[in-house]
Amino acid sequence: MAQLWGGRFTKETDKLVYNFNASIAFDQKFFKQDIEGSIAHTKMLSKQGILTAAEETAILSGLEKILSDVVEGRLEITNEYEDIHSFVEANLIDRIGDTGKKLHTGRSRNDQVALDMKLYVRQETIEIRALLKELLETLIKIMEEHITTYMPGFTHLQKAQPVTLAHHVGAYFEMFKRDRLRLEDLCARMNTCPLGSGALAGTTYPLDRDYTAQLLHFDGPTINSMDSVADRDYVIELLSALSTIMMHLSRFCEEIIIWNSNEYQFVEIDDAYSTGSSIMPQKKNPDIAELVRGKTGRVYGALISILTTMKGLPLAYNKDMQEDKELTFDAIDTVKGCVALFTGMLDTLHFHKDTMQKSAMNGFTNATDAADYLVNHGVAFRDAHGIIGKLVLYCIDKKKSIDELSLEEFQQISPVFEKDIYEAVSLETCVNKRTTIGAPGPDAMREVIRLNKIYLEQS
Ligand code: ARG
């Protein structure tokens, strides 16, 4: 049991208490960030004359050796230290002796852990943004290939109007684009450096907090030392952004599971991304999509958990906040895994264009266009709606689709119908006439793809 704070105690900590209190099992995850912060702190202390140049050199070389020893497997981070901060400091003292004891001058673990967590979140956010970019690139590739792959668009999971696969997939492009932007937003907002806030009330040493912030690539220092050590808003914002990513992935997975079902057969998940059944030889299951959908719950759980942990905390630091780590790390790893696997599954997904097109042609997806035809011939929309309702009822009775009716049948229902009704309700017309930006028409779609490619190039 290696502790930093034994001085005022007369007894050893109870073993169970020690274990309950310790965080090394999980906070070793940001061990690189902890050293990075210590390096910046040391440079600043030396610049301010709080450490001598010789002390700075000794501490920096000690820290760098700890870093390389751990990275290269020569030094193991073990549970005999309370947390990662104690591990690094104790190791430094072992290596360089008493000078190592000066590292913690003008610093508390409270501002140290706030810094480490920010550095970790900032780094992981960059990685998640890169993974989302790969997903967006896969989506835009599918969009480009399927500008004229017709499929039914649904509302209430009932066939509504024909769209294209490019358009459907394009909806997800917008969602994941917003997700990336959200990550950028939160990074910009959290990019202030808490180091130098001390335990809660700053320090009496002449620290140069601007310099520390600059060394660690922050926009500047945080400007209230109590807030600095008590703030986990950025963790909450991150978990909220991650929850939204999972929600989007989960919705897409749900659709892929439906499309992959025996009844739909719009898509087939590649063998490399499917699994079998131990008893039913014919089965090929969409387990990956189901797992991604299923893991959404644990990321939501992390968000609710930290919100609940924070809600009753008085200023400033409280140990409750140590609970932010495991769930944040788990949520980050979960999202990274899910985005990467989902991208792979999507990239290898086989689309059954004919089945999609056939499905778009039945189910009266062109009923709105038939009504619009009447409107274009002078009928008020509400009356046209009623007439086409009757037409659909007639079709259901005769087991025909709208375009299978004879002109006489059309005219029996309304004399306004002419020969050109057939062209007006064809799948191609229904889609192609939707030309406003955001609609599935091919020209509108090409413009959206162009805009989104510019976004990808520039981000
Ligand atoms: N392991 C602690 C955490 O994660 C580090 C800060 C400890 N500070 C303290 N005052 N006990 O929050």
Side-chain angles (χ1 to χ4, degrees):
M1 299 204 288
Q3 288 163 330
L4 300 172
W5 39 262
R8 65 100 67 217
F9 288 79
T10 53
K11 270 191 193 171
E12 281 273 293
T13 319
D14 179 273
K15 185 82 184 114
L16 282 177
V17 172
Y18 181 84
N19 291 340
F20 189 69
N21 193 46
S23 53
I24 187 110
F26 46 88
D27 64 15
Q28 56 181 278
K29 197 136 176 142
F30 53 44
F31 128 86
K32 282 189 188 158
Q33 285 78 8
D34 194 71
I35 293 195
E36 195 187 339
S38 289
I39 288 175
H41 186 63
T42 306
K43 288 183 178 164
M44 182 277 294
L45 290 177
S46 165
K47 177 179 156 300
Q48 296 304 94
I50 303 165
L51 291 177
T52 65
E55 287 166 340
E56 177 192 9
T57 310
I59 294 176
L60 290 184
S61 89
L63 288 171
E64 264 144 28
K65 283 200 196 99
I66 297 173
L67 180 66
S68 57
D69 282 355
V70 172
V71 170
E72 285 154 32
R74 286 185 297 272
L75 176 64
E76 204 190 332
I77 301 174
T78 61
N79 285 351
E80 65 184 290
Y81 302 92
E82 179 188 335
D83 55 28
I84 193 62
H85 324 295
S86 323
F87 167 83
V88 173
E89 196 175 324
N91 251 277
L92 185 71
I93 296 167
D94 283 351
R95 280 166 199 249
I96 67 166
D98 282 352
T99 307
K101 295 181 182 166
K102 296 192 173 181
L103 167 65
H104 211 53
T105 313
R107 190 175 73 170
S108 155
R109 277 186 297 165
N110 298 354
D111 57 347
Q112 193 179 354
V113 76
L115 171 73
D116 292 1
M117 197 64 183
K118 268 196 175 176
L119 290 175
Y120 189 83
V121 165
R122 193 173 68 181
Q123 175 55 36
E124 291 296 317
T125 306
I126 293 170
E127 287 181 28
I128 298 169
R129 286 188 51 224
L131 286 166
L132 284 176
K133 188 166 185 182
E134 283 172 35
L135 173 55
L136 289 175
E137 274 157 2
T138 301
L139 290 170
I140 207 115
K141 202 177 73 187
I142 296 172
M143 287 163 75
E144 282 187 295
E145 277 168 25
H146 294 285
I147 292 177
T148 56
T149 302
Y150 302 109
M151 65 180 288
F154 298 86
T155 62
H156 315 272
L157 209 53
Q158 306 272 326
K159 285 183 197 178
Q161 291 172 345
V163 293
T164 64
L165 181 56
H167 192 241
H168 195 120
V169 165
Y172 284 100
F173 189 101
E174 298 306 317
M175 296 180 219
F176 293 119
K177 182 170 71 180
R178 285 196 295 274
D179 288 336
R180 277 190 94 220
L181 294 170
R182 244 187 295 278
L183 293 175
E184 266 171 56
D185 287 351
L186 78 91
C187 260
R189 201 167 17 259
M190 66 167 239
N191 205 30
T192 48
C193 182
L195 200 62
S197 300
L200 76 163
T203 79
T204 53
Y205 298 96
L207 307 185
D208 183 346
R209 295 196 57 213
D210 286 296
Y211 183 62
T212 314
Q214 188 195 324
L215 288 176
L216 293 165
H217 310 291
F218 284 102
D219 299 333
T222 51
I223 57 170
N224 181 295
S225 59
M226 291 179 86
D227 175 52
S228 308
V229 294
D231 169 35
R232 292 295 181 274
D233 289 3
Y234 60 95
V235 174
I236 291 167
E237 286 191 36
L238 172 75
L239 291 174
S240 165
L242 297 186
S243 294
T244 309
I245 294 173
M246 289 306 295
M247 181 266 289
H248 290 153
L249 285 175
S250 185
R251 290 182 76 172
F252 208 165
C253 284
E254 171 75 6
E255 296 209 290
I256 289 175
I257 293 162
I258 293 171
W259 293 352
N260 188 64
S261 65
N262 301 133
E263 282 67 26
Y264 272 74
Q265 298 186 30
F266 281 10
V267 299
E268 188 178 342
I269 299 176
D270 194 73
D271 276 4
Y273 285 88
S274 309
T275 46
S277 156
S278 61
I279 175 170
M280 298 166 282
Q282 84 283 10
K283 292 276 273 195
K284 194 174 139 185
N285 295 327
D287 286 28
I288 300 308
E290 289 172 358
L291 264 177
V292 172
R293 188 178 60 183
K295 283 176 190 290
T296 305
R298 64 199 266 181
V299 179
Y300 287 8
L303 172 63
I304 297 299
S305 179
I306 184 73
L307 279 169
T308 312
T309 298
M310 295 302 291
K311 81 181 251 304
L313 300 190
L315 291 179
Y317 177 82
N318 297 271
K319 191 68 174 229
D320 315 43
M321 285 155 72
Q322 180 167 289
E323 285 294 305
D324 64 353
K325 293 181 193 59
E326 281 164 291
L327 47 92
T328 303
F329 297 156
D330 181 73
I332 288 172
D333 291 345
T334 301
V335 168
K336 280 163 80 179
C338 287
V339 175
L341 271 157
F342 184 84
T343 302
M345 179 176 72
L346 196 64
D347 198 35
T348 53
L349 198 63
H350 309 280
F351 294 100
H352 294 155
K353 293 164 72 162
D354 291 351
T355 315
M356 285 182 166
Q357 174 150 348
K358 246 183 240 141
S359 171
M361 281 162 66
N362 59 46
F364 307 107
T365 59
N366 51 2
T368 317
D369 293 81
D372 289 345
Y373 173 91
L374 293 176
V375 171
N376 288 330
H377 289 73
V379 182
F381 180 77
R382 195 45 62 212
D383 293 334
H385 189 284
I387 295 168
I388 302 302
K390 284 207 187 73
L391 191 82
V392 167
L393 208 56
Y394 177 84
C395 288
I396 293 171
D397 186 45
K398 299 280 179 234
K399 297 195 169 44
K400 285 181 170 180
S401 63
I402 293 178
D403 48 291
E404 282 168 351
L405 297 177
S406 69
L407 190 56
E408 290 70 53
E409 287 174 303
F410 271 117
Q411 286 172 341
Q412 259 168 30
I413 289 169
S414 166
V416 180
F417 286 117
E418 306 277 355
K419 265 210 321 281
D420 57 351
I421 179 63
Y422 293 102
E423 213 220 303
V425 297
S426 81
L427 202 51
E428 288 77 4
T429 312
C430 291
V431 171
N432 295 356
K433 278 180 91 177
R434 292 181 152 75
T435 53
T436 49
I437 189 78
D443 289 340
M445 204 66 240
R446 278 187 204 100
E447 175 60 5
V448 167
I449 291 173
R450 189 185 70 80
L451 293 173
N452 278 331
K453 279 182 143 176
I454 294 174
Y455 159 74
L456 281 177
E457 272 162 31
Q458 291 175 350
S459 69

